[in-house]
């Protein structure tokens, strides 16, 4: 029996707007950056806060909900802009299909992105910042490599 997909908390759109504004002002918010990609239907820029992590010299971002709008936009566009404060850089985004890489990225997530752990807990994907629990959900989330 498949588990039901978690849904986004109702407060998230407001929180994302606040985080985007604070990040644009240059306030450091832990590991948070803003990823902007073209909308898959409109082509208009869509921005969302993300927390990248570096593993083996490569940068990754994780979408806890693989079918959320920003993940679907990334799949459609394959490119975007990565920003922290007013520093911006163009990036290519490729979804990671290799299960071993996905597991390694998720296993590293609680250590490299500790502020992202509560979001995974709220969604019911994990119970705590346990690398084994994060590795176990590697097939239920989307992992994108940023180049």
């Amino acid at each position: 029996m498949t588990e039901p997909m978690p849904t986004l908390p109702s407060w998230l759109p407001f929180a994302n707007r606040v985080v985007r504004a604070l990040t644009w002002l240059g306030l450091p918010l832990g590991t948070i950056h803003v990823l902007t990609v073209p909308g898959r239907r409109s082509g208009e820029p869509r921005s969302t806060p993300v927390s990248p992590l570096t593993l083996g010299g490569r940068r990754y971002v994780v979408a806890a909900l693989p079918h959320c709008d920003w993940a679907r936009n990334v799949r459609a566009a394959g490119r975007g802009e990565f920003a922290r404060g007013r520093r911006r850089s163009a990036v290519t985004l490729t979804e990671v299909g290799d299960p071993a890489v996905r597991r390694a990225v998720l296993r590293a997530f609680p250590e490299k992105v500790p502020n992202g752990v509560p979001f995974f807990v709220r969604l019911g994907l994990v119970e705590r910042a346990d690398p084994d629990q994060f590795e176990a959900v590697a097939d239920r989330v989307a992992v994108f490599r940023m180049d």
Side-chain angles (χ1 to χ4, degrees):
M1 183 165 163
T2 48
E3 297 179 39
M5 264 322 232
T7 58
L8 289 172
S10 61
W11 50 263
L12 189 63
F14 174 75
N16 280 348
R17 281 192 297 278
V18 170
V19 168
R20 285 192 315 260
L22 293 174
T23 302
W24 184 83
L25 290 170
L27 296 173
L29 298 173
T31 59
I32 296 176
H33 291 65
V34 175
L35 177 63
T36 302
V37 296
R40 64 192 174 282
R41 288 184 279 217
S42 70
E44 294 296 316
R46 303 291 181 204
S47 298
T48 191
V50 296
S51 290
L53 65 98
T54 302
L55 187 66
R58 293 196 176 254
R59 291 187 305 172
Y60 299 91
V61 289
V62 176
L65 299 173
H67 301 294
C68 66
D69 283 335
W70 80 260
R72 292 174 11 184
N73 289 340
V74 165
R75 285 185 194 102
R79 63 179 172 77
E81 184 178 74
F82 198 58
R84 181 150 189 163
R86 300 192 193 238
R87 291 181 39 207
R88 302 182 181 297
S89 60
V91 293
T92 300
L93 298 129
T94 307
E95 189 161 11
V96 176
D98 183 341
V101 173
R102 294 166 59 84
R103 285 191 302 271
V105 169
L106 267 294
R107 183 165 194 76
F109 191 91
E111 176 189 342
K112 303 239 182 211
V113 189
N115 293 333
V117 171
F119 189 69
F120 277 74
V121 172
R122 282 188 190 115
L123 291 175
L125 292 169
V126 298
E127 294 175 2
R128 62 187 176 284
D130 177 2
D132 292 335
Q133 287 186 20
F134 273 81
E135 184 177 353
V137 299
D139 293 333
R140 296 181 58 202
V141 303
V143 177
F144 297 96
R145 186 184 71 238
M146 296 184 348
D147 297 306

